[in-house]
Amino acid sequence: GNSVTQMEGPVTLSEEAFLTINCTYTATGYPSLFWYVQYPGEGLQLLLKATKADDKGSNKGFEATYRKETTSFHLEKGSVQVSDSAVYFCALSDASGGGADGLTFGKGTHLIIQP
Amino acid sequence: DAGVIQSPRHEVTEMGQEVTLRCKPISGHNSLFWYRQTMMRGLELLIYFNNNVPIDDSGMPEDRFSAKMPNASFSTLKIQPSEPRDSAVYFCASSPVWGEKLFFGSGTQLSVL
């Protein structure tokens, strides 16, 4: 079946530090990959996505590259801000799998940025 | 566009009571999803609909949970009877096409005492 594994948190960084949140996946087909962000008291919202190998998704200074050879989609940002404090979810959708198993989220990584 | 609308935002009830959570998806979206979020289990998919038809309810924890989508603009998730372990944040999400990005509502914080 499909699964997503991401690093456990909380991850605590100082403002302007470099951020990496690791995400690896297993999928029966050829999935699309997503990063969602959840701010306190809100629902998840899409941060970025990539649909095929070597694609780079980017938004708000965050980037992630679809690496098929390592089945990874690590999230990076060069200089984090206090406002980036949130929970980040890696996810995949695999249309070939169908059903609920085709849409899978990681457990989330809580990021805390200190001024 | 108002986004996905959920009600109520907060619900506090006593064990044994019936709870109904409501969701209005974004107009034109064909897929609707119900998720539950807890600290212990993270984000769990309970059920999803495509064109108002339930496609996969394998995530529904037990028969006390039921979900309906009578039309393209409304869905409910019902828990009867509720138990303290049902306390969680319940999210509704919709998508224009299955597999595309999800648009989440703000969630319903449920507390069962």
Side-chain angles (χ1 to χ4, degrees):
Chain A
N2 298 327
S3 67
V4 173
T5 303
Q6 57 182 109
M7 58 193 297
E8 294 189 16
V11 173
T12 304
L13 296 172
S14 297
E15 205 166 19
E16 299 183 3
F18 184 85
L19 167 72
T20 300
I21 301 178
N22 290 336
C23 171
T24 57
Y25 68 91
T26 57
T28 53
Y30 196 152
S32 294
L33 302 174
F34 306 83
W35 277 101
Y36 286 82
V37 58
Q38 183 180 28
Y39 299 104
E42 299 182 11
L44 283 69
Q45 54 185 278
L46 182 69
L47 180 60
L48 54 84
K49 74 173 190 179
T51 58
K52 61 183 188 295
D54 300 325
D55 266 3
K56 178 186 286 187
S58 61
N59 186 24
K60 299 181 182 179
F62 290 90
E63 293 182 342
T65 301
Y66 191 142
R67 301 287 188 201
K68 196 167 189 293
E69 64 277 12
T70 55
T71 62
S72 65
F73 194 53
H74 305 321
L75 183 68
E76 297 182 335
K77 186 173 184 180
S79 176
V80 292
Q81 306 300 313
V82 172
S83 57
D84 294 326
S85 299
V87 181
Y88 292 81
F89 293 87
C90 186
L92 68 82
S93 71
D94 179 4
S96 68
D101 187 50
L103 188 60
T104 305
F105 281 82
K107 292 190 180 301
T109 301
H110 187 190
L111 175 65
I112 301 170
I113 307 300
Q114 297 177 333
Chain B
D1 193 337
V4 176
I5 300 173
Q6 291 187 246
S7 63
R9 281 301 306 269
H10 303 275
E11 176 80 33
V12 180
T13 190
E14 292 187 346
M15 183 173 65
Q17 297 297 305
E18 177 180 298
V19 174
T20 299
L21 311 181
R22 297 173 176 78
C23 175
K24 177 178 168 53
I26 293 173
S27 176
H29 283 195
N30 293 328
S31 296
L32 183 140
F33 304 78
W34 282 101
Y35 285 89
R36 177 171 69 177
Q37 186 178 38
T38 60
M39 290 292 292
M40 291 294 294
R41 296 202 197 89
L43 198 64
E44 301 173 276
L45 177 63
L46 301 177
I47 185 171
Y48 82 92
F49 296 82
N50 200 39
N51 293 322
N52 312 339
V53 176
I55 302 300
D56 191 325
D57 64 354
S58 59
M60 297 285 261
E62 45 197 281
D63 292 344
R64 297 184 296 106
F65 286 70
S66 62
K68 294 181 180 179
M69 192 166 185
N71 58 61
S73 59
F74 184 65
S75 177
T76 59
L77 178 67
K78 185 177 293 186
I79 308 172
Q80 166 64 14
S82 58
E83 296 183 3
R85 60 193 168 118
D86 301 331
S87 298
V89 181
Y90 290 81
F91 287 103
C92 175
S94 70
S95 172
V97 176
W98 192 98
E100 289 295 315
K101 74 175 193 178
L102 300 181
F103 294 77
F104 282 78
S106 297
T108 294
Q109 172 79 59
L110 173 64
S111 298
V112 183
L113 307 178

